[in-house]
Amino acid sequence: MAGASTSMRLRLPIACIALEVILIILFGVAVEYDHDVSGEAGHKTNTTHHDYENEFYYRYPSFQDVHVMIFIGFGFLMTFLQRYGFSSVGFNFLIAAFSLQLATLVQGFLHTIMTGGKIHVGVESMINADFCTGSVLISFGAVLGKTSPVQMLTMAVFEVILFSVNEFILLSLLNAKDAGGSMTIHTFGAYFGLMVTRVLYRPNLDKSNKKNSSVYHSDIFAMIGTLYLWMFWPSFNSAITLHGDIQHRTALNTYYSLAACTLSTYAFSALLNHEGKLDMVHIQNAALAGGVALGTAAEMMITPFGSMIVGFLAGAISVLGYRFITPFLESKLKIQDTCGVHNLHGMPGILGAIVGAITSLAATKEHYGNGLTAVFPKITSDFPASAQAGMQAISLVVTLGIALIGGIIVGFILKLPIYGAPSDSQCFEDGVYWEVYLPNAYCIELGCNNVSITM
Amino acid sequence: MAGASTSMRLRLPIACIALEVILIILFGVAVEYDHDVSGEAGHKTNTTHHDYENEFYYRYPSFQDVHVMIFIGFGFLMTFLQRYGFSSVGFNFLIAAFSLQLATLVQGFLHTIMTGGKIHVGVESMINADFCTGSVLISFGAVLGKTSPVQMLTMAVFEVILFSVNEFILLSLLNAKDAGGSMTIHTFGAYFGLMVTRVLYRPNLDKSNKKNSSVYHSDIFAMIGTLYLWMFWPSFNSAITLHGDIQHRTALNTYYSLAACTLSTYAFSALLNHEGKLDMVHIQNAALAGGVALGTAAEMMITPFGSMIVGFLAGAISVLGYRFITPFLESKLKIQDTCGVHNLHGMPGILGAIVGAITSLAATKEHYGNGLTAVFPKITSDFPASAQAGMQAISLVVTLGIALIGGIIVGFILKLPIYGAPSDSQCFEDGVYWEVYLPNAYCIELGCNNVSITM
Amino acid sequence: MAGASTSMRLRLPIACIALEVILIILFGVAVEYDHDVSGEAGHKTNTTHHDYENEFYYRYPSFQDVHVMIFIGFGFLMTFLQRYGFSSVGFNFLIAAFSLQLATLVQGFLHTIMTGGKIHVGVESMINADFCTGSVLISFGAVLGKTSPVQMLTMAVFEVILFSVNEFILLSLLNAKDAGGSMTIHTFGAYFGLMVTRVLYRPNLDKSNKKNSSVYHSDIFAMIGTLYLWMFWPSFNSAITLHGDIQHRTALNTYYSLAACTLSTYAFSALLNHEGKLDMVHIQNAALAGGVALGTAAEMMITPFGSMIVGFLAGAISVLGYRFITPFLESKLKIQDTCGVHNLHGMPGILGAIVGAITSLAATKEHYGNGLTAVFPKITSDFPASAQAGMQAISLVVTLGIALIGGIIVGFILKLPIYGAPSDSQCFEDGVYWEVYLPNAYCIELGCNNVSITM
């Protein structure tokens, strides 16, 4: 790709405007307000009380927490790179704003296959669209620094569709439980992205460019992302569960998993460094693995005790992944995983799927009381807990299959030389796609003007 | 003003203490708790159920989102300047903390004209006060870097009063709809601030001072502001609407408008740059125009389709404004608009007012069902939708009139040489009003002590 | 301690893993879901309505605001130090994740003394655990930069226990009111931490190390912490009050106190500087004192008028403390208070306790109506308001006693040479415990590789 134009002067406007116009037309044709958005439920003739029971009040705070995770959490987590902050937070913003619109359509379309009629939008569709967007951003983390924005928009188009198909198979056909998306969001997004970055392998990346690392301030910016993801993960896992004790329990279990995961992360980060020094990459990422690993089981009766064990394991696995598996993936399998999504989303996602399947085995009246059918609506005397556990396991296999095959195919689509991708020496550089003014160190002292850096 | 003292040693303490003492006295005389704050509704004798229906639970999450927009959103959006971060976030903090107190009094006083009795405070007054504060901060964005904190407090005193009068005329006398403040907040704040900065025109600003620009890290700080404004704008527009489907719909429409606006912003930012590079100023600001432009119509049945069209247009207009209109305003009309509030709040605010008027025309039983009188309480067979649309249009004219005339008058008040305003060469410099220690680049390497920069 | 190893290679993993394993075992033995987490209330047989009345919906938004204060607020407030950002935000993260788990157990254990049975967890225990964690982080602020992470974890173990004992004495035995923790959280955390730092006094700290100060960007990072603490303090003080008008009033009073405090802070910061320049340390900290000072009285009928007076005084006291008392504490009493917690939490906490006691004197039917017993359940004709005020005063004395004596004892425990504490010349340096890559100023210009700084 070296030498090819990276100009976005025409590519990006054409992509953005074409995609947005198509979205607007499809929204005009196929979308209508959900009944508690339009007021069609006829409540105006009822008591005020009805207005207080609008889904808005029971979902919107969760939605906003998820929204912050998508735009601030993912966006700032990726600003750790020294000269790629504009792109990290800026392309994250662009891709997310696009994906949530497309996801609303594709998820809604698949849902209407079951129900008929138009696509209904409201706070639930907003949360589901953000979930799909999260999966796209996980894949973005794998290819971060090595792709053009048009390439990312193209990836998002295909990934949103494949995500929605996989989600539909799991939740609607296999009746799997996965409220926090260990499988649908994390496993899918990670392995899809890893396959894409494998196909886009750049053999000369390391030799020509050392900017694939952090500097002091960029690591502190990244901690903003980490902490928002960590704090709001209980809201993420519980955002779309049934109301009442289930939602309450989901948030609580996730909170304990994350707390235990944090101590595990610090322990293994120090242990694996020959001077016993902590590594910011581990803290920024592995401490979040406890949220990923409880994405399936958090709504179940896993107990705080079980949640903490899962979180502790997730943190350990994740740090070990950064230390040993990421270098192996890069050197042996030619998978260049910029943010280490395999360690934060891939392995902990699989762990979460397994924990979910195992926890499903204990889905009995004894543990759940009358709440059993609320958590597991399919479980009956004819469909025992073991069958549910089997469906959970099959769901993981299906997810991995669609993610791996889909990622390879989309990787080849993204390899076409039409997207204005950066050359190897331009990777991890904001200046390729952004007007950048870097501070002149002398000038900070002396008050002279800034110098524009071009490349 | 060159050579005049900029010392805040007496000016700022006198201003802050005098204003706060007056506020405290007026609060002591005129303010009391709203009935669901004092418990006067006598619910203690009722069931617990009543406590769960306190307005607090249905408004406070929205309030906190708005609060974050005011203090983090506006504050950090303005940190883009390379050496004005302390002032941006710090004076934003001071002005906002003052304005919300004064706004509570002035808005409450005007409201009691209608109802009699004392000023009642509670979560609704907190939201309304933050809205008024937002308008003051928009004007602050126009004069950013060129004024002293005492000057800004003085501006806030007058602007809060004028804002409240305009708001009262629009909402209580003209019965206009403007829940998200396209007119009352954005149009008013922008044109008021533009007139103030016109009167305070500094002909030698460009020649003597090149600090009116960003550096790398300051642009990333500014993105914190942008993203919080973007994420929480649905809460802003819906914070004070009626409960139930209206509030739900308002948030939803705003969310779609912002998503479409973001794609439009990226498209036009790349298109207008001769190398096709994105400009951080556009991303930080124009991507928000979709929220401004739906400030009036978001609670109406504008549909996601309509919202996305409005958002798309708003983003395009805003980028075009930064590229073509801001330079024109500065060179021809002598309006130095530091943050480009004309592009983010001025033009999109007017667009929002027009969209609101047009959307009102469709305020029929057919579209709204029984919800019609909830959104448009004045519309009857004697007062048709077209009359409502007319009132919306008149409201825009009134707002522009009060903002323009008020801004000019207040601009001349602020021109008095008593506020310790900075000289031209001191503009955009934190060191004038803050103790500043800048990092010595060599010292970061060598570990020597910091050097204090004075001017 | 000079020359001793600071390696965390074994110390930190052993501490983290041992503590987490003990926590997990104790959670397995002693903890179970609260009834509205497990669904044991049997609601599945009831109406959907019941699910909407789950405590989750009335506490979780407050919890998340408090959570943001603990992790982002405290964490970023402490990033003001020029070379200690990783440790500030990173050790804050570690200590908080640990403390909230231990606090759940210790607070729950003391509560079960009253009620019997197992420890119940749910959103209320999450809030209470975060409150205890806040107190630990206040003490962390006093010793910031001079301690190892294992030392801090050890401090947290003891402080969580002592905090919980003191809290139990105040709230359960003395029947004191302290919803926002002026005494239990702020006074306790501050004086405990001050005693610890007194025992750990380092006579050569100033001579050998000048890094105990901020740089430009670190002060802007710290403002993120300040603003989140400021915005969400109304949620903090009201997070655990009774529902309804009491919670509403608590948030409202705190909001006014903070607004008045901010103007007072700016006034006194400028007044006490000989050039009239504002000091970022004051703005970052003193502007928050209004929240601390209303921690006891905010739920009472103190009125906005009273709240603003308290806030104004708190800001003034806090700035005066930074200017005059902190230097005195360091030079005369050998108390090195890195973050000035005496000014932000110590004195304002005592002020808050006194304000709470005085406000309790007005706890009459005349002021509270039927709400009296909701706020003051113990007040009857036999136990008048003056007795409540007496209990409030005794509570302050008890808190100071436990904090001061506990802090001294724990200080000596922390003085043992086993924790890998930094030498005097290593204080305020991230590089001791973290892998740090500092930006090479020349390289930003020239594109060369980063240089690793080791010490």
Side-chain angles (χ1 to χ4, degrees):
Chain A
M1 272 171 278
S5 167
T6 59
S7 173
M8 290 293 120
R9 178 109 200 230
L10 292 176
R11 287 183 182 100
L12 188 59
I14 290 170
C16 286
I17 293 172
L19 289 171
E20 189 61 46
V21 168
I22 293 169
L23 286 170
I24 290 175
I25 292 169
L26 292 174
F27 264 81
V29 172
V31 169
E32 65 183 22
Y33 292 130
D34 201 7
H35 65 86
D36 59 357
V37 180
S38 65
E40 275 175 14
H43 60 87
K44 290 302 159 201
T45 57
N46 291 0
T47 64
T48 314
H49 195 75
H50 193 103
D51 283 333
Y52 283 174
E53 294 198 343
N54 196 295
E55 273 298 282
F56 181 77
Y57 303 105
Y58 299 88
R59 295 266 183 231
Y60 188 74
S62 304
F63 162 71
Q64 276 297 4
D65 289 354
V66 173
H67 221 39
V68 171
M69 293 173 74
I70 296 295
F71 289 89
I72 289 281
F74 280 102
F76 273 85
L77 182 58
M78 294 193 270
T79 59
F80 75 97
L81 292 168
Q82 57 183 284
R83 288 172 77 165
Y84 208 63
F86 289 9
S87 304
S88 294
V89 76
F91 294 155
N92 186 83
F93 185 22
L94 172 64
I95 296 161
F98 166 69
S99 298
L100 63 86
Q101 296 177 76
L102 182 61
T104 306
L105 288 174
V106 182
Q107 292 175 318
F109 171 75
L110 289 168
H111 195 250
T112 59
I113 288 178
M114 309 293 277
T115 61
K118 286 202 166 188
I119 294 168
H120 288 107
V121 291
V123 69
E124 290 194 23
S125 78
M126 290 160 81
I127 294 170
N128 282 321
D130 267 15
F131 276 8
C132 176
T133 299
S135 201
V136 175
L137 298 178
I138 291 165
S139 305
F140 178 49
V143 298
L144 187 74
K146 301 169 294 186
T147 47
S148 83
V150 176
Q151 218 169 359
M152 287 302 89
L153 286 170
T154 309
M155 185 182 85
V157 171
F158 291 104
E159 186 168 0
V160 166
I161 295 168
L162 288 169
F163 170 96
S164 302
V165 168
N166 182 60
E167 185 190 48
F168 178 75
I169 294 171
L170 265 60
L171 304 188
S172 298
L173 302 186
L174 298 176
N175 295 306
K177 301 297 294 184
D178 197 21
S182 285
M183 296 181 283
T184 55
I185 300 167
H186 300 288
T187 304
F188 182 85
Y191 288 96
F192 182 93
L194 291 169
M195 287 304 101
V196 170
T197 198
R198 172 65 190 82
V199 176
L200 299 179
Y201 179 65
R202 291 169 178 268
N204 300 313
L205 193 60
D206 279 356
K207 288 170 201 151
S208 63
N209 195 311
K210 299 287 182 191
K211 289 170 207 126
N212 184 6
S213 64
S214 66
V215 289
Y216 193 70
H217 276 114
S218 69
D219 266 326
I220 298 181
F221 276 119
M223 281 301 289
I224 298 175
T226 295
L227 289 176
Y228 273 102
L229 290 168
W230 195 91
M231 296 183 299
F232 290 168
W233 216 295
S235 306
F236 188 93
N237 281 351
S238 67
I240 210 69
T241 64
L242 288 186
H243 289 307
D245 58 274
I246 295 177
Q247 195 163 16
H248 197 159
R249 185 163 71 232
T250 309
L252 185 70
N253 288 333
T254 308
Y255 158 92
Y256 285 122
S257 176
L258 286 161
C261 180
T262 302
L263 268 81
S264 159
T265 297
Y266 277 82
F268 284 90
S269 183
L271 189 64
L272 295 181
N273 181 288
H274 69 287
E275 293 182 281
K277 292 190 181 184
L278 294 161
D279 190 328
M280 262 293 181
V281 172
H282 303 159
I283 308 307
Q284 285 159 6
N285 291 280
L288 301 167
V292 175
L294 224 62
T296 303
E299 67 178 314
M300 304 175 190
M301 288 285 190
I302 191 169
T303 75
F305 173 70
S307 303
M308 290 160 78
I309 292 171
V310 172
F312 190 86
L313 289 175
I317 289 170
S318 192
V319 174
L320 291 166
Y322 275 101
R323 183 73 177 77
F324 299 113
I325 299 179
T326 294
F328 171 81
L329 290 180
E330 179 150 0
S331 60
K332 303 297 178 192
L333 302 186
K334 299 185 178 176
I335 295 173
Q336 294 161 323
D337 179 5
T338 308
C339 293
V341 302
H342 186 250
N343 310 307
L344 169 50
H345 302 279
M347 292 188 296
I350 292 177
L351 173 64
I354 295 168
V355 169
I358 293 171
T359 313
S360 301
L361 285 173
T364 60
K365 271 272 181 189
E366 183 194 351
H367 288 100
Y368 290 79
N370 290 318
L372 180 60
T373 52
V375 181
F376 296 100
K378 291 291 160 183
I379 290 185
T380 61
S381 50
D382 292 342
F383 188 85
S386 58
Q388 179 73 39
M391 285 301 172
Q392 299 291 135
I394 291 169
S395 294
L396 175 60
V397 175
V398 169
T399 300
L400 283 168
I402 295 178
L404 293 170
I405 295 167
I408 290 169
I409 294 169
V410 174
F412 280 105
I413 294 171
L414 297 181
K415 217 172 173 173
L416 298 173
I418 58 173
Y419 304 103
S423 68
D424 287 2
S425 65
Q426 290 170 320
C427 285
F428 311 113
E429 276 286 350
D430 275 336
V432 185
Y433 300 118
W434 297 84
E435 288 284 353
V436 175
Y437 299 87
L438 283 168
N440 183 313
Y442 309 101
C443 291
I444 291 177
E445 304 301 316
L446 306 174
C448 57
N449 301 336
N450 281 319
V451 181
S452 175
I453 306 293
T454 54
M455 59 202 71
Chain B
M1 271 171 278
S5 167
T6 60
S7 172
M8 290 292 120
R9 178 110 200 229
L10 292 177
R11 286 183 182 101
L12 188 59
I14 290 171
C16 286
I17 293 173
L19 289 171
E20 190 60 47
V21 168
I22 293 169
L23 287 169
I24 291 175
I25 292 170
L26 291 174
F27 265 80
V29 171
V31 170
E32 65 183 21
Y33 292 130
D34 200 7
H35 66 86
D36 59 357
V37 180
S38 66
E40 275 174 13
H43 61 88
K44 290 300 161 205
T45 56
N46 291 1
T47 64
T48 312
H49 195 75
H50 193 103
D51 283 333
Y52 284 175
E53 294 199 343
N54 196 295
E55 274 297 282
F56 182 76
Y57 303 105
Y58 299 89
R59 295 266 183 229
Y60 188 73
S62 304
F63 162 72
Q64 275 298 4
D65 289 355
V66 173
H67 219 41
V68 170
M69 293 173 74
I70 296 294
F71 289 90
I72 288 281
F74 280 104
F76 274 85
L77 183 57
M78 295 194 270
T79 59
F80 75 98
L81 290 167
Q82 55 183 286
R83 288 171 75 165
Y84 208 64
F86 289 9
S87 304
S88 294
V89 77
F91 294 154
N92 186 84
F93 185 21
L94 172 64
I95 296 161
F98 167 69
S99 298
L100 64 85
Q101 296 177 76
L102 182 61
T104 305
L105 288 175
V106 182
Q107 291 175 319
F109 172 74
L110 289 168
H111 195 253
T112 59
I113 288 177
M114 310 293 277
T115 61
K118 285 202 169 189
I119 295 168
H120 288 107
V121 292
V123 68
E124 289 193 23
S125 77
M126 291 160 81
I127 295 171
N128 282 319
D130 266 15
F131 276 7
C132 176
T133 299
S135 201
V136 175
L137 298 177
I138 291 165
S139 305
F140 177 49
V143 298
L144 187 74
K146 302 169 293 185
T147 47
S148 83
V150 175
Q151 218 168 1
M152 288 301 89
L153 285 170
T154 308
M155 185 182 85
V157 170
F158 290 104
E159 187 168 0
V160 166
I161 295 169
L162 289 170
F163 170 95
S164 303
V165 168
N166 183 58
E167 184 189 49
F168 178 75
I169 294 170
L170 265 59
L171 305 188
S172 299
L173 303 186
L174 298 176
N175 295 305
K177 300 298 293 184
D178 198 21
S182 286
M183 296 181 283
T184 55
I185 300 167
H186 300 288
T187 304
F188 183 86
Y191 288 96
F192 183 92
L194 291 170
M195 286 303 100
V196 170
T197 198
R198 172 64 190 82
V199 176
L200 299 179
Y201 179 65
R202 291 169 179 267
N204 300 313
L205 193 59
D206 278 357
K207 288 169 201 151
S208 61
N209 195 310
K210 299 288 181 189
K211 290 167 209 131
N212 184 7
S213 65
S214 66
V215 289
Y216 193 70
H217 276 113
S218 68
D219 267 326
I220 298 182
F221 276 119
M223 281 302 290
I224 298 175
T226 295
L227 290 175
Y228 273 101
L229 290 168
W230 195 92
M231 296 183 299
F232 289 168
W233 216 295
S235 307
F236 188 93
N237 282 350
S238 67
I240 210 70
T241 63
L242 287 186
H243 289 308
D245 58 275
I246 296 177
Q247 195 163 15
H248 198 158
R249 185 164 69 232
T250 309
L252 185 69
N253 288 333
T254 307
Y255 159 92
Y256 285 121
S257 176
L258 287 161
C261 181
T262 302
L263 269 80
S264 159
T265 297
Y266 277 82
F268 284 90
S269 183
L271 189 62
L272 296 180
N273 181 288
H274 70 286
E275 293 181 282
K277 292 189 181 184
L278 294 161
D279 190 328
M280 262 293 182
V281 172
H282 302 158
I283 308 307
Q284 285 159 5
N285 292 278
L288 302 168
V292 175
L294 225 63
T296 303
E299 67 178 314
M300 304 175 190
M301 287 286 192
I302 190 168
T303 75
F305 173 69
S307 304
M308 289 160 79
I309 292 172
V310 172
F312 189 86
L313 288 176
I317 288 170
S318 192
V319 175
L320 290 167
Y322 275 100
R323 183 73 177 75
F324 300 113
I325 298 178
T326 294
F328 171 82
L329 290 180
E330 179 150 0
S331 60
K332 302 298 178 191
L333 300 187
K334 299 184 178 176
I335 295 173
Q336 293 161 324
D337 179 6
T338 308
C339 293
V341 301
H342 186 248
N343 310 307
L344 170 50
H345 302 279
M347 292 188 297
I350 292 176
L351 174 64
I354 295 168
V355 169
I358 293 170
T359 312
S360 301
L361 284 173
T364 61
K365 273 268 181 191
E366 182 194 353
H367 289 100
Y368 289 78
N370 291 318
L372 181 60
T373 52
V375 180
F376 297 101
K378 292 291 162 184
I379 289 184
T380 60
S381 51
D382 291 342
F383 189 85
S386 58
Q388 179 72 38
M391 285 299 173
Q392 299 291 134
I394 291 169
S395 294
L396 175 60
V397 176
V398 169
T399 299
L400 284 169
I402 295 178
L404 293 170
I405 296 167
I408 290 170
I409 295 170
V410 173
F412 279 104
I413 295 171
L414 297 180
K415 218 172 171 172
L416 297 173
I418 59 173
Y419 305 103
S423 68
D424 286 2
S425 65
Q426 291 170 321
C427 285
F428 311 113
E429 276 286 351
D430 275 336
V432 185
Y433 300 117
W434 298 84
E435 288 283 353
V436 175
Y437 299 87
L438 283 169
N440 184 313
Y442 308 102
C443 293
I444 292 176
E445 304 301 315
L446 305 174
C448 57
N449 301 336
N450 282 318
V451 180
S452 174
I453 305 292
T454 54
M455 59 201 74
Chain C
M1 274 170 275
S5 166
T6 59
S7 173
M8 290 292 119
R9 178 112 199 227
L10 292 177
R11 286 183 182 102
L12 188 60
I14 290 171
C16 286
I17 293 173
L19 289 171
E20 189 61 46
V21 167
I22 293 169
L23 286 170
I24 290 175
I25 293 170
L26 292 174
F27 265 81
V29 172
V31 169
E32 65 183 21
Y33 291 131
D34 200 8
H35 64 87
D36 60 357
V37 181
S38 64
E40 276 175 13
H43 61 88
K44 289 302 159 203
T45 56
N46 291 359
T47 65
T48 314
H49 196 75
H50 193 102
D51 282 334
Y52 284 173
E53 294 198 344
N54 196 295
E55 273 297 284
F56 181 77
Y57 303 105
Y58 299 89
R59 295 264 183 233
Y60 188 74
S62 305
F63 162 72
Q64 275 298 3
D65 289 354
V66 173
H67 221 39
V68 171
M69 293 173 73
I70 296 295
F71 289 89
I72 289 282
F74 280 103
F76 274 85
L77 182 58
M78 294 194 270
T79 59
F80 75 97
L81 291 168
Q82 56 184 286
R83 289 171 78 166
Y84 208 64
F86 288 10
S87 303
S88 294
V89 75
F91 294 155
N92 185 84
F93 185 20
L94 171 65
I95 296 162
F98 166 69
S99 298
L100 64 85
Q101 295 177 77
L102 181 61
T104 305
L105 288 175
V106 182
Q107 292 175 318
F109 172 74
L110 289 168
H111 195 251
T112 59
I113 288 178
M114 309 294 276
T115 60
K118 285 202 168 189
I119 294 168
H120 288 108
V121 291
V123 68
E124 289 193 25
S125 78
M126 291 161 81
I127 294 171
N128 282 320
D130 267 15
F131 276 7
C132 176
T133 300
S135 201
V136 175
L137 297 178
I138 291 166
S139 305
F140 177 49
V143 298
L144 187 75
K146 302 169 294 186
T147 46
S148 83
V150 176
Q151 218 169 1
M152 287 301 89
L153 285 171
T154 309
M155 185 182 84
V157 171
F158 291 104
E159 186 169 0
V160 166
I161 295 169
L162 289 170
F163 170 95
S164 303
V165 169
N166 182 58
E167 184 189 49
F168 179 75
I169 294 170
L170 264 58
L171 305 188
S172 298
L173 303 186
L174 298 176
N175 293 306
K177 301 298 294 184
D178 198 21
S182 286
M183 295 181 282
T184 55
I185 300 167
H186 301 288
T187 305
F188 182 86
Y191 288 96
F192 183 93
L194 291 169
M195 287 303 100
V196 170
T197 198
R198 172 65 189 82
V199 176
L200 299 179
Y201 179 65
R202 291 170 178 269
N204 300 314
L205 193 59
D206 279 356
K207 287 170 202 150
S208 62
N209 196 311
K210 299 287 182 190
K211 289 169 209 126
N212 183 7
S213 65
S214 65
V215 289
Y216 193 71
H217 277 113
S218 68
D219 266 326
I220 298 181
F221 277 119
M223 281 301 290
I224 298 174
T226 295
L227 289 176
Y228 273 101
L229 290 168
W230 195 91
M231 296 183 299
F232 290 169
W233 216 295
S235 307
F236 188 93
N237 282 351
S238 67
I240 210 70
T241 63
L242 288 186
H243 289 309
D245 57 274
I246 295 177
Q247 195 163 15
H248 198 160
R249 185 164 69 232
T250 308
L252 185 69
N253 288 332
T254 307
Y255 159 91
Y256 285 122
S257 176
L258 287 162
C261 180
T262 303
L263 268 80
S264 158
T265 297
Y266 276 81
F268 284 91
S269 183
L271 189 63
L272 295 181
N273 181 287
H274 70 287
E275 292 181 281
K277 292 190 180 182
L278 295 160
D279 190 328
M280 261 294 181
V281 172
H282 303 158
I283 308 307
Q284 285 159 4
N285 291 280
L288 301 167
V292 175
L294 225 63
T296 304
E299 66 178 316
M300 305 175 190
M301 287 285 191
I302 190 169
T303 74
F305 173 70
S307 304
M308 290 159 79
I309 292 172
V310 172
F312 190 86
L313 288 176
I317 288 169
S318 192
V319 174
L320 290 166
Y322 275 100
R323 183 73 177 75
F324 299 113
I325 299 178
T326 294
F328 171 81
L329 290 180
E330 178 150 1
S331 60
K332 303 298 177 191
L333 302 187
K334 299 183 178 176
I335 295 173
Q336 294 161 324
D337 179 6
T338 308
C339 294
V341 301
H342 187 249
N343 310 306
L344 171 49
H345 302 280
M347 293 188 297
I350 291 177
L351 174 64
I354 295 169
V355 169
I358 294 170
T359 313
S360 301
L361 285 173
T364 60
K365 272 270 181 190
E366 181 195 352
H367 288 100
Y368 288 78
N370 291 319
L372 180 61
T373 51
V375 181
F376 297 101
K378 291 292 161 184
I379 289 184
T380 60
S381 50
D382 292 341
F383 189 85
S386 58
Q388 180 73 38
M391 286 301 173
Q392 299 291 134
I394 291 168
S395 294
L396 175 60
V397 175
V398 169
T399 299
L400 284 169
I402 295 177
L404 293 170
I405 296 167
I408 290 170
I409 294 169
V410 174
F412 280 104
I413 294 170
L414 297 180
K415 218 172 171 172
L416 298 173
I418 58 173
Y419 304 103
S423 68
D424 287 0
S425 65
Q426 291 170 320
C427 286
F428 311 113
E429 276 286 350
D430 274 336
V432 185
Y433 301 117
W434 298 84
E435 288 283 353
V436 175
Y437 300 86
L438 283 169
N440 184 313
Y442 309 101
C443 292
I444 291 177
E445 305 301 316
L446 306 174
C448 57
N449 301 336
N450 282 320
V451 180
S452 174
I453 305 292
T454 54
M455 59 201 71

